[in-house]
C-alpha cells in the first residue's frame, strides 16, 4: 500500500514536470572550487575548466560556486558575484532545475570536499537527480591519470635538476594523499618532489631529498588548481620565507612557474570525465530501480 502510494506520487510528479517543462528537464552542472581573487588566474584556470565542461555537456547549464566565503567577499567588492555551494543549489532548485551534478575542482578528498558532500546531501529531496563527482586524486587510477596529465606538461629538466611541486596540505586525514602522489611520481621516474605549504611533507622534507639526490637546480610549480595567493607569495614571492627565497639561500638555482593545474587542458579533461563518471553511475542506478 505504502509502495503504491509512493509510485503514485512519482507518477504525479512526473506528470507535473511534463506539464511545466513540456517534457524538457532542466539540468545543471554546478562547478565548485575554493575560488580565487586573482582575476586573471581565475579566467585561465577555473573559468577555462568550466568552459571545457560546458562544451562537453551542451544539455546542461553550467554554474559556478566557490567554497571560500572570503574569496566571495573580496570579489563582491569588485562587482563579481559568485554563489556559495548552498546558495547555488538553492537557486537551481528554486529555478526549477530537476537534475544537478555537482563537480568539485578540488584535488583531494579533504575537508572542503567533504563539506561539499554534506551541503549537497541537504538538497537530496530538492532534485530528482542529484550527484557529486570525484576530485582529481581520489581512487588510485585517478592519481595515475592526473600525474600523467600534469607531468606531460612539465618543463623538461636535465640531470641535477628537478621539479618541486607546492601542494596545499591539510590537517584532514586526506593529507596522506601527498604520500601516494610522491610514491607514484617515483615509480614513474618523474624527477618531481612534492612538499606542502600547510601540511606534511614540508619544504624541509623536500630539501633533504634534493640533497640526497644531488639536485642543484629546481623549478617550482604549484600543485594547486589556481596560481593564487600561495603560489604568488609562499612559493614564488620575494619575502625571505618563500620557498624560492629559502631554496635560493640554500644554494639552489631556482626558477618559478605560476601555472595552476586548471590551466592544463589534460587536467580540465579529467574533470570532464569525472562528470561523465557521475552521469554513468546515476544512469545505472536509474536502470536498477
Ligand atoms: Co591555504
Amino acid at each position: 500500500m505504502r509502495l503504491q502510494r509512493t509510485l503514485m506520487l512519482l507518477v504525479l510528479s512526473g506528470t507535473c514536470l511534463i506539464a511545466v517543462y513540456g517534457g524538457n528537464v532542466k539540468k545543471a552542472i554546478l562547478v565548485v572550487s575554493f575560488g580565487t581573487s586573482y582575476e586573471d588566474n581565475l579566467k585561465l584556470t577555473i573559468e577555462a575548466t568550466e568552459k571545457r565542461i560546458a562544451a562537453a555537456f551542451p544539455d546542461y547549464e553550467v554554474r559556478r560556486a566557490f567554497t571560500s566565503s572570503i574569496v566571495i567577499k573580496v570579489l563582491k567588492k569588485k562587482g563579481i558575484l559568485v554563489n556559495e555551494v548552498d546558495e547555488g543549489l538553492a537557486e537551481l532548485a528554486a529555478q526549477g532545475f530537476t537534475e544537478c551534478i555537482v563537480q568539485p575542482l578540488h584535488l583531494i578528498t579533504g575537508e572542503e570536499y567533504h563539506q561539499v558532500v554534506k551541503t549537497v546531501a541537504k538538497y537530496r529531496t530538492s532534485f530528482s537527480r542529484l550527484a557529486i563527482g570525484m576530485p582529481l586524486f581520489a581512487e588510485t587510477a585517478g592519481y595515475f591519470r592526473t600525474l600523467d596529465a600534469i607531468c606531460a606538461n612539465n618543463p623538461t629538466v636535465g640531470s641535477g635538476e628537478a621539479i618541486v611541486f607546492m601542494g596545499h596540505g591539510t590537517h584532514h586525514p586526506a593529507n596522506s594523499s601527498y604520500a601516494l602522489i610522491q610514491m607514484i611520481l617515483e615509480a614513474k621516474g618523474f624527477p618531481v618532489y612534492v612538499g606542502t605549504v600547510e601540511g606534511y611533507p614540508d619544504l624541509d622534507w623536500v630539501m633533504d631529498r634534493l640533497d640526497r639526490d644531488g639536485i642543484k637546480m629546481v623549478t617550482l610549480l604549484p600543485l594547486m588548481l589556481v596560481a593564487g595567493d600561495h603560489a604568488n607569495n609562499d612559493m614564488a614571492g620575494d619575502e625571505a620565507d618563500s620557498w624560492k627565497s629559502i631554496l635560493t639561500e640554500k644554494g639552489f638555482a631556482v626558477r618559478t612557474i605560476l601555472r595552476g593545474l586548471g590551466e592544463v587542458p589534460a587536467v580540465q579533461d579529467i574533470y570532464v570525465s569525472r562528470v561523465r563518471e557521475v552521469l554513468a553511475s546515476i544512469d545505472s542506478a536509474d536502470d536498477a530501480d
Side-chain angles (χ1 to χ4, degrees):
M1 188 58 198
R2 174 115 194 212
L3 179 67
Q4 271 176 341
R5 210 177 297 148
T6 316
L7 283 174
M8 184 59 101
L9 277 174
L10 281 175
V11 171
L12 280 174
S13 60
T15 322
C16 271
L17 284 179
I18 290 162
V20 176
Y21 303 115
N24 285 327
V25 177
K26 286 175 82 177
K27 304 190 284 190
I29 300 168
L30 186 64
V31 181
V32 176
S33 55
F34 178 83
T36 180
S37 54
Y38 285 70
E39 284 174 63
D40 291 347
N41 212 263
L42 170 69
K43 286 199 175 67
L44 290 172
T45 57
I46 295 171
E47 197 172 302
T49 306
E50 291 163 346
K51 282 186 175 157
R52 194 94 162 178
I53 292 173
F57 303 97
D59 296 349
Y60 288 76
E61 179 158 331
V62 172
R63 298 263 181 105
R64 168 186 295 167
F66 287 169
T67 55
S68 168
S69 51
I70 296 171
V71 168
I72 289 173
K73 250 184 231 159
V74 172
L75 288 178
K76 196 175 175 184
K77 282 187 191 140
K78 300 183 195 172
I80 301 169
L81 300 180
V82 182
N83 279 331
E84 292 196 32
V85 182
D86 221 323
E87 294 168 331
L89 288 167
E91 195 176 273
L92 287 168
Q95 291 171 352
F97 284 82
T98 55
E99 177 174 333
C100 180
I101 304 299
V102 178
Q103 181 55 54
L105 302 187
H106 292 79
L107 270 66
I108 62 172
T109 54
E111 171 112 23
E112 282 188 43
Y113 178 77
H114 288 287
Q115 198 55 51
V116 176
V117 171
K118 266 190 209 158
T119 307
V120 169
K122 290 201 311 189
Y123 289 86
R124 247 190 340 251
T125 54
S126 307
F127 300 91
S128 51
R129 284 173 27 120
L130 174 66
I132 178 166
M134 287 290 203
L136 295 178
F137 298 112
E139 83 291 18
T140 307
Y143 280 74
F144 274 91
R145 192 175 167 199
T146 304
L147 291 169
D148 280 339
I150 296 169
C151 292
N153 285 277
N154 279 344
T156 45
V157 294
S159 72
E161 299 178 26
I163 309 267
V164 170
F165 276 135
M166 176 191 261
H168 194 276
T170 173
H171 59 274
H172 188 274
N175 190 64
S176 56
S177 294
Y178 296 101
L180 184 51
I181 290 171
Q182 184 68 59
M183 190 179 236
I184 293 170
L185 289 168
E186 280 174 25
K188 287 190 160 280
F190 293 133
V192 182
Y193 303 83
V194 180
T196 66
V197 63
E198 288 182 22
Y200 186 87
D202 53 14
L203 182 59
D204 284 339
W205 183 91
V206 170
M207 288 193 296
D208 282 347
R209 292 299 162 114
L210 297 175
D211 286 339
R212 184 197 69 180
D213 296 343
I215 304 297
K216 304 277 181 240
M217 185 181 165
V218 167
T219 301
L220 285 171
L221 277 152
L223 187 72
M224 300 181 197
L225 181 71
V226 168
D229 215 24
H230 286 306
N232 281 277
N233 298 316
D234 301 315
M235 189 190 89
D238 292 326
E239 301 278 310
D241 59 352
S242 76
W243 285 22
K244 183 182 83 175
S245 300
I246 295 169
L247 286 163
T248 307
E249 177 71 28
K250 295 269 180 199
F252 293 97
V254 183
R255 72 169 159 161
T256 57
I257 300 180
L258 290 167
R259 181 201 72 188
L261 298 184
E263 248 186 81
V264 178
V267 172
Q268 296 167 5
D269 284 341
I270 297 177
Y271 287 118
V272 168
S273 53
R274 287 309 197 193
V275 175
R276 229 181 276 291
E277 287 162 22
V278 195
L279 287 171
S281 76
I282 56 176
D283 282 346
S284 65
D286 284 354
D287 290 346
D289 281 351

